């Protein structure tokens, strides 16, 4: 019994001692907390930024709680001396913090300034690298456009709308190819800034092909491809490697046509500012699904076969090069092609074919009249339509284009009948261009040397393209890089690009020689404009 009483007393004493210990600890904790809060009071004039990573700062995301503690502790008063000491210390710390903050800010400003300068420099470098953009921004490529009358447009909507197409009157609802056709005028095939041209090339490169039939006529295989919305394109297949030069033992009329030459000719024509070649784009097609399976041309379908190495080939039917000895083959089914947008149907926009006065004889032994008579151009100048208007300088423009790309196969050219003799020449069928880069063909330039006539605007653009900032080979490389086939391989080899600059110098030298010996060399199509605005 006594032991039980002693046990209860011991237990009670322990409880009391425990409670006292806890109370003392609690009081001590409260005192320490009060002291700590008081020592951390900062004068209202100082500022702490949680963005600075100094020791003792409140981590980001807990600022609400820290603001509450600061407002509670501000009611505590310190003795005047201690308050002054802490104030001085706080101000001293604040100045250091501010100095550090300013140092960081200055460094950041310097970094930002350096970054801005670097960005500006890079931007300038990028801008300087885009020679094509700079070229097309030059005043020579933005000459005032002549005022167009109703008769200066090739088509109007009433002529081009067929009963079964259900086009609305709003041009915005027309498909791209129709808007492109409606934009053809007396003076140019297309406006370089017309968005429908880019849409046409994009659609030819990506849209589903609905049908494929062989185009009649011609010496080599060509197909007409149909797309949605009644769009059509002329296909020329890959027949040889891009860097393969024409055999020197072959005559110019014995060479294969090149798909990449058609693409490069379109880009060169645009870079020269002519805009007289229909839009052309490259594409990879599947010979099985995009030709054989959809063609309705029975003659074409009978010419498909599988080569000994398993490639799907076909040859069609034409005058030359359409045989099993000269097939078009996929690898094993994929084929590179060029697609040129078709011009308006001949029933809507008839075209006239003109025989070139400087047509070659297409004989292995005979010479053409211009090859035998150095004064041949005097006769041409007296013969319509070259005796008046701009037809002669139009032809010289085409000669310059042909010499740059070494095209000897310009036996004919075409114009739209509606415009009579007062219009531009269509630069069609350029498949035999870019055959040789190791040599130039001086005979192509004979019309310029014999006639000594050239447009002022053409000459000024040629001079511009001879400058380092607008070098012809550079802008051509940049322009060709926009074509889908450029991702497979460069459309023109380095040699073919480099030779453009050499041939351009030859053209400018020929004009210089003409200016030394003749007075009436320049056809001033910039008359009435301040020519100084277009100098470079």
């Amino acid at each position: 019994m006594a032991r039980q009483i002693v046990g209860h007393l011991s237990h009670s004493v322990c409880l009391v001692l425990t409670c006292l210990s806890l109370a003392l600890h609690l009081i001590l904790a409260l005192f320490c907390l009060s002291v700590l809060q008081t020592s951390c009071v900062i004068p209202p004039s100082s500022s702490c930024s949680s963005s600075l990573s100094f020791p003792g700062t409140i981590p980001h995301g807990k600022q609400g709680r820290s603001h509450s503690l600061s407002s509670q502790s501000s009611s505590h008063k310190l003795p005047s001396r201690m308050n002054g000491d802490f104030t001085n210390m706080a101000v001293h710390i604040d100045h250091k913090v501010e100095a550090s903050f300013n140092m960081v800010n200055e460094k950041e400003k310097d970094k930002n300034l350096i970054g801005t300068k670097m960005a500006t420099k890079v931007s300038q470098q990028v801008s300087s690298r885009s020679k094509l953009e700079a070229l097309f921004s030059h005043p020579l490529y933005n000459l005032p456009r002549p005022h167009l009358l109703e008769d200066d447009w090739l088509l109007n909507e009433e002529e081009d709308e067929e009963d079964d197409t259900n086009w609305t009157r709003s041009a915005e609802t027309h498909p791209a190819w129709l808007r492109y056709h409606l934009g053809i005028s007396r003076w140019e095939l297309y406006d370089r800034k017309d968005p429908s041209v880019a849409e046409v090339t994009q659609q030819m490169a990506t849209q589903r092909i609905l049908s494929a039939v062989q185009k009649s006529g011609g010496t080599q295989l060509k197909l007409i491809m149909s797309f949605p919305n009644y769009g059509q394109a002329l296909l020329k297949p890959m027949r040889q490697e891009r860097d393969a030069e024409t055999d020197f033992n072959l005559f110019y009329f014995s060479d294969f046509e090149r798909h990449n030459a058609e693409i490069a000719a379109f880009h060169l024509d645009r870079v020269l500012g002519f805009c007289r070649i229909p839009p052309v784009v490259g594409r990879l097609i599947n010979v099985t699904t995009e030709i054989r399976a959809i063609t309705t041309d029975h003659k074409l379908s009978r010419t498909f076969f599988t080569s000994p190495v398993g490639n799907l080939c076909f040859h069609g039917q034409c005058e030359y090069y359409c045989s099993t000895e000269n097939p078009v083959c996929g690898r094993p089914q994929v084929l590179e092609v060029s697609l040129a947008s078709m011009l308006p149907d001949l029933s809507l926009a008839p075209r006239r074919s003109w025989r070139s006065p400087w047509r070659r004889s297409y004989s292995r032994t005979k010479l053409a009249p211009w090859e035998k008579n150095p004064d041949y151009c005097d006769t041409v100048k007296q013969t319509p339509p070259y005796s008046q208007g701009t037809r002669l300088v139009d032809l010289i423009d085409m000669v310059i284009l042909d010499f740059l790309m070494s095209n000897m196969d310009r036996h004919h050219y075409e114009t739209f009948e509606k415009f009579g003799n007062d219009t531009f020449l269509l630069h069609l069928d350029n498949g035999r261009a870019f055959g040789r880069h190791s040599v130039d063909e001086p005979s192509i330039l004979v019309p310029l040397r014999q006639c000594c006539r050239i447009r002022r605007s053409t000459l000024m653009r040629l001079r511009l393209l001879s400058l380092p900032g607008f070098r012809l080979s550079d802008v051509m490389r940049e322009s060709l890089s926009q074509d889908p086939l450029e991702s497979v391989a460069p459309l023109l080899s380095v040699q073919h690009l480099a030779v453009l600059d050499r041939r351009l110098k030859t053209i400018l030298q020929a004009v210089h020689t003409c200016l030394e010996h003749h007075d009436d060399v320049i056809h001033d199509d910039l008359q009435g404009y301040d020519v100084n605005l277009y100098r470079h």
Side-chain angles (χ1 to χ4, degrees):
M1 184 70 176
R3 290 182 179 179
Q4 291 180 352
I5 293 171
V6 173
H8 284 298
L9 288 173
S10 299
H11 184 68
S12 299
V13 171
C14 289
L15 288 175
V16 171
L17 291 174
T18 302
C19 291
L20 287 173
S21 178
L22 289 172
L24 289 172
H25 280 87
L26 181 60
I27 292 170
L28 181 61
L30 290 173
F31 176 77
C32 292
L33 180 61
S34 176
V35 172
L36 288 172
Q37 286 179 350
T38 303
S39 65
C40 289
V41 172
I42 304 295
S45 60
S46 71
S47 60
C48 296
S49 172
S50 62
S51 63
L52 295 176
S53 300
F54 289 102
T57 55
I58 309 288
H60 184 71
K62 298 183 180 180
Q63 294 153 332
R65 181 174 175 81
S66 70
H67 292 161
S68 175
L69 290 173
S70 297
S71 63
Q72 290 174 5
S73 61
S74 63
S75 62
H76 294 276
K77 299 297 181 181
L78 295 174
S80 58
R81 182 174 175 276
M82 186 175 288
N83 188 30
D85 291 341
F86 271 94
T87 300
N88 293 333
M89 186 183 294
V91 171
H92 181 68
I93 294 173
D94 187 56
H95 286 167
K96 283 189 174 182
V97 170
E98 185 176 0
S100 301
F101 181 77
N102 290 336
M103 188 181 296
V104 172
N105 275 348
E106 289 300 321
K107 288 182 178 179
E108 288 301 316
K109 287 179 182 178
D110 290 342
K111 288 180 181 178
N112 290 338
L113 183 60
I114 294 171
T116 302
K117 288 181 178 179
M118 290 180 66
T120 303
K121 187 175 182 180
V122 170
S123 177
Q124 290 173 348
Q125 290 175 346
V126 170
S127 178
S128 65
R129 284 199 301 269
S130 182
K131 293 183 179 182
L132 183 66
E133 182 180 350
L135 180 74
F136 286 154
S137 298
H138 194 278
L140 280 170
Y141 287 80
N142 295 276
L143 295 170
R145 302 173 68 80
H147 177 68
L148 297 176
L149 303 175
E150 187 63 31
D151 287 342
D152 292 329
W153 296 103
L154 180 64
L155 302 173
N156 56 48
E157 293 191 28
E158 287 80 2
E159 290 174 339
D160 205 57
E161 288 178 356
E162 300 179 11
D163 294 337
D164 58 350
T165 56
N166 296 322
W167 306 128
T168 65
R169 291 293 300 167
S170 174
E172 295 178 357
T173 64
H174 294 332
W177 67 268
L178 180 55
R179 283 185 275 117
Y180 153 58
H181 286 173
L182 291 172
I184 300 173
S185 71
R186 179 184 296 273
W187 308 117
E188 60 187 359
L189 187 60
Y190 62 89
D191 178 359
R192 179 173 47 79
K193 299 178 182 178
D194 184 358
S196 64
V197 175
E199 290 180 44
V200 166
T201 55
Q202 192 270 341
Q203 289 179 9
M204 289 191 296
T206 60
Q207 276 193 338
R208 182 169 62 94
I209 299 173
L210 301 180
S211 69
V213 296
Q214 185 171 347
K215 184 181 184 299
S216 59
T219 60
Q220 300 193 30
L221 175 70
K222 294 180 284 289
L223 303 180
I224 296 178
M225 317 300 282
S226 298
F227 297 89
N229 285 330
Y230 304 92
Q232 288 188 322
L234 183 67
L235 179 149
K236 289 190 177 182
M238 181 177 185
R239 303 296 297 261
Q240 54 191 328
E241 298 299 328
R242 288 172 170 76
D243 56 353
E245 277 201 279
T246 302
D247 191 323
F248 287 93
N249 291 313
L250 289 179
F251 288 92
Y252 52 88
F253 49 82
S254 302
D255 193 19
F256 281 125
E257 292 188 351
R258 292 172 171 79
H259 72 302
N260 61 312
E262 290 286 356
I263 301 168
F266 163 66
H267 285 264
L268 180 59
D269 180 80
R270 190 175 65 130
V271 163
L272 293 173
F274 296 152
C275 299
R276 299 167 194 168
I277 293 180
V280 186
V281 69
R283 177 167 174 166
L284 291 173
I285 66 169
N286 186 296
V287 179
T288 299
T289 61
E290 295 181 299
I291 298 181
R292 186 177 189 176
I294 61 175
T295 185
T296 56
D297 188 331
H298 299 297
K299 291 183 178 179
L300 175 65
S301 61
R302 287 197 295 266
T303 66
F304 283 88
F305 64 93
T306 301
S307 72
V309 294
N311 294 331
L312 183 59
C313 305
F314 64 101
H315 55 74
Q317 296 183 5
C318 58
E319 284 188 51
Y320 304 101
Y321 310 115
C322 287
S323 64
T324 53
E325 292 77 24
N326 296 287
V328 174
C329 296
R331 298 181 179 178
Q333 300 183 68
V334 177
L335 176 67
E336 283 189 28
V337 301
S338 67
L339 292 167
S341 55
M342 298 289 285
L343 294 171
D345 191 88
L346 292 174
S347 62
L348 297 174
R351 301 193 299 271
R352 179 173 177 178
S353 178
W354 301 79
R355 178 170 174 159
S356 171
W358 283 270
R359 180 183 184 272
R360 300 178 185 277
S361 66
Y362 287 84
S363 168
R364 293 177 176 84
T365 56
K366 294 181 181 179
L367 296 177
W370 57 269
E371 293 178 288
K372 296 180 289 186
N373 180 10
D375 299 322
Y376 177 77
C377 187
D378 293 339
T379 303
V380 175
K381 287 180 179 178
Q382 299 172 8
T383 306
Y386 306 98
S387 55
Q388 59 184 359
T390 62
R391 181 57 64 89
L392 182 59
V393 289
D394 287 332
L395 189 139
I396 297 300
D397 282 347
M398 186 168 61
V399 165
I400 289 169
L401 171 71
D402 285 338
F403 178 74
L404 286 171
M405 58 186 184
S406 193
N407 179 25
M408 302 173 66
D409 195 35
R410 190 74 68 186
H411 45 82
H412 286 79
Y413 63 85
E414 295 184 19
T415 60
F416 290 110
E417 280 189 5
K418 178 179 180 178
F419 302 136
N421 296 333
D422 194 15
T423 186
F424 66 94
L425 313 185
L426 288 164
H427 299 166
L428 306 177
D429 199 7
N430 304 285
R432 285 202 172 104
F434 296 103
R436 291 175 183 154
H437 55 72
S438 54
V439 295
D440 301 337
E441 181 50 57
S443 64
I444 302 175
L445 212 54
V446 165
L448 174 61
R449 298 185 190 278
Q450 288 185 345
C451 298
C452 279
R453 288 285 282 170
I454 189 173
R455 272 193 173 90
R456 182 183 295 278
S457 61
T458 298
L459 177 59
M460 294 182 75
R461 284 195 294 268
L462 292 176
R463 287 173 174 169
L464 182 68
L465 289 165
S466 68
L467 300 178
F470 303 95
R471 186 177 288 109
L472 178 56
S473 59
D474 291 339
V475 293
M476 269 296 287
R477 182 183 295 105
E478 187 178 347
S479 185
L480 288 170
S481 68
Q482 302 169 0
D483 189 88
L485 284 186
E486 187 75 11
S487 61
V488 178
L491 283 162
L492 287 182
S493 66
V494 174
Q495 293 89 341
H496 275 299
L497 287 170
V499 79
L500 292 173
D501 299 324
R502 183 181 75 210
R503 290 170 181 166
L504 177 56
K505 290 180 181 179
T506 302
I507 295 171
L508 292 175
Q509 182 58 49
V511 175
H512 179 71
T513 302
C514 285
L515 290 169
E516 286 183 331
H517 296 89
H518 301 274
D519 296 327
D520 190 22
V521 175
I522 306 297
H523 172 79
D524 194 359
D525 59 332
L526 298 180
Q527 193 172 8
Y529 303 121
D530 184 359
V531 179
N532 292 321
L533 295 175
Y534 307 113
R535 296 195 184 280
H536 16 279

